[in-house]
Amino acid sequence: MEDKYSSCIILYPSPGIGHLVPMVELGKLILHHHPDSFTNIIILITTAPHLNTNSTAPYMSHVSATTPRITFHHLPTISLPPNYTVTGTAQIFEVQSLNNPNLCQALETISSTPFKIKAFIMDFFCNAAFEISTGLDIPTYYFYPSPASSLSPHLYLPTIHQNISTSFKDLNAFVQFPGIPPIFSSDVSKSMLDRSTVGYKCFLDTAAQMAKSDGIIMNTFHGLEPRAITAISDGLCIPNAPTPPIYCIGPLIAKEKVNSEEHECMAWLNSQPSKSVVFLCFGSLGVFGEEQLKEIAKGLENSGHKFLWVIKTTPSQGATDDADLSTVLPLGFLERTRCMGLVVKSWAPQVAVLNHDSVGGFITHCGWNSILEGVIAGIPMIGWPLYAEQRLNRVILVEELKVGPWLEESDGGNFVTGVEIEKRVKELMDSDNGERMRHRVGKLREAAKAAITDEDGSSRLALAKLVTKLME
């Protein structure tokens, strides 16, 4: 008998454009390759006064206009309790916990419509939702937007917690997690460094809940991280319980908006020689102090290589428009490098830039989305982590993927000198080692294409397996 309900899946991203985009791309991917699988994909959006929607609102409007089968449902606004002091990652987890009553109401409301909820897929930061969705008997999956090489230590955290009584920040030693190179204790995700913090407890709880889920979906592909993926799939990261199914369906990369070619940097890149430009971009939160900005400028100028540099500034630095960038850079830098480089403020179309023929290197904050974009473009990268799990990502970038060097830091790991930047740029662009990295990332680029485009590609097969499971 034909089901009287239309089927849908619910996606629940945590706040922030970096988490929303991969979740939307997951929805698009399902609809593109399996258009008859679900009638609709509903994305639940957290709203709160402290959340910045400057980038997410226009993005959602664009998605709604171009992919009408993806709809956004804004949950009622939540407010933080008075005198709330928790910040950073712990706040993201706790905000989603405060959202649980709204989430429960939304799921119950959707269930009462002509939509049958086939699955609930949530960002791992939304871990508090697990008790709501499973309590309503909805199959529940985690979406993990970071690499498998980050999921391995996350899932293994309860085991480490039992075996080691010292916080990672005090351990001062290399730690071996399944399927990845040894990680120095201070390079684990920042939220895992101190076991006395709320953030650490949130990661510990999330690991335990993920192990009980119906599956974990990852934005990666087998050819990129075979050791980590195999270790997770073989149960090495959850040694005392069954491991849920793992679905590696990446790389999920959003296409640039149609107006990316209109950005001033694209016209400038058109006039540069092939593979001659180093691109510097540090994500939505990548803001440096004036002293560090001046060191970057010195390193770029002394390297002798062409560069395209995206600078984000704060109002306190006094740079409110492009003309004011000279106030935070060395005296005369913009004039001296006019024929050598281009500095732009706030934003550049990163995907379009990385895929431009003139770009030959990428200095990145090691956000996973940026690393994937670099891999797909076939561009070797220099790792400069700034926050979250990016120090771990840097280890994977350099030691596992072998597609670039990292920058040696000074001043307790918070500062990089111009001399170091100059050295690494020259290594990437001029040396035999740099050429080996370029060749290596070219191979990974081809592997990424095969994973998502070939009928028997690993990500295509994983997606088909996932959709079959979701439709049960």
Side-chain angles (χ1 to χ4, degrees), residues 144 148-158 160 168 177-178 180 183 188 192 207 237 392:
Y144 200 81
S149 299
S150 177
L151 180 61
S152 167
H154 193 166
L155 291 176
Y156 199 65
L157 184 61
I160 289 284
F168 288 116
F177 297 101
I180 63 175
I183 303 295
V188 302
M192 290 167 54
C237 300
L392 171 59

Side-chain angles (χ1 to χ4, degrees), residues 12-203:
Y12 189 33
S14 63
I17 193 71
H19 289 260
L20 175 60
V21 171
M23 193 73 92
V24 169
E25 291 303 312
L26 171 61
K28 288 182 179 179
L29 191 70
I30 291 172
L31 293 177
H32 176 73
H33 289 293
H34 302 273
D36 299 325
S37 56
F38 305 101
T39 308
N40 205 9
I41 292 177
I42 301 172
I43 301 181
L44 303 181
I45 301 297
T46 300
T47 55
H50 73 286
L51 297 177
N52 187 341
T53 60
N54 289 341
S55 58
T56 55
Y59 173 74
M60 287 188 287
S61 296
H62 175 73
V63 172
S64 296
T66 56
T67 314
R69 288 173 64 187
I70 294 180
T71 59
F72 296 93
H73 178 85
H74 292 262
L75 298 174
T77 301
I78 57 173
S79 298
L80 298 179
N83 304 317
Y84 188 78
T85 58
V86 176
T87 59
T89 299
Q91 185 186 83
I92 300 174
F93 278 109
E94 293 201 347
V95 163
Q96 299 310 118
S97 180
L98 294 172
N99 221 10
N100 268 1
N102 295 330
L103 171 67
C104 185
Q105 184 177 20
L107 292 178
E108 289 176 342
T109 300
I110 295 170
S111 296
S112 67
T113 69
F115 281 114
K116 182 176 182 180
I117 301 176
K118 301 294 286 186
F120 179 74
I121 302 174
M122 62 177 172
D123 188 293
F124 78 96
F125 276 120
C126 302
N127 180 59
F130 185 84
E131 63 178 292
I132 302 298
S133 57
T134 56
L136 294 171
D137 292 325
I138 301 173
T140 299
Y141 297 76
Y142 280 81
F143 180 71
Y144 200 81
S146 297
S149 299
S150 177
L151 180 61
S152 167
H154 193 166
L155 291 176
Y156 199 65
L157 184 61
T159 301
I160 289 284
H161 184 78
Q162 289 181 343
N163 296 337
I164 300 177
S165 60
T166 305
S167 292
F168 288 116
K169 69 180 181 65
D170 301 318
L171 197 56
N172 196 35
F174 282 93
V175 183
Q176 183 65 68
F177 297 101
I180 63 175
I183 303 295
F184 198 72
S185 52
S186 59
D187 283 341
V188 302
S189 175
K190 285 189 175 182
S191 298
M192 290 167 54
L193 285 172
D194 187 345
R195 62 170 53 206
S196 69
T197 62
V198 175
Y200 180 92
K201 184 179 184 303
C202 290
F203 266 75

Side-chain angles (χ1 to χ4, degrees), residues 410-428:
S410 57
D411 190 25
N414 296 316
F415 194 78
V416 177
T417 67
V419 172
E420 175 67 10
I421 293 168
E422 174 189 354
K423 174 183 175 182
R424 296 307 178 187
V425 168
K426 288 180 175 179
E427 178 183 358
L428 194 70

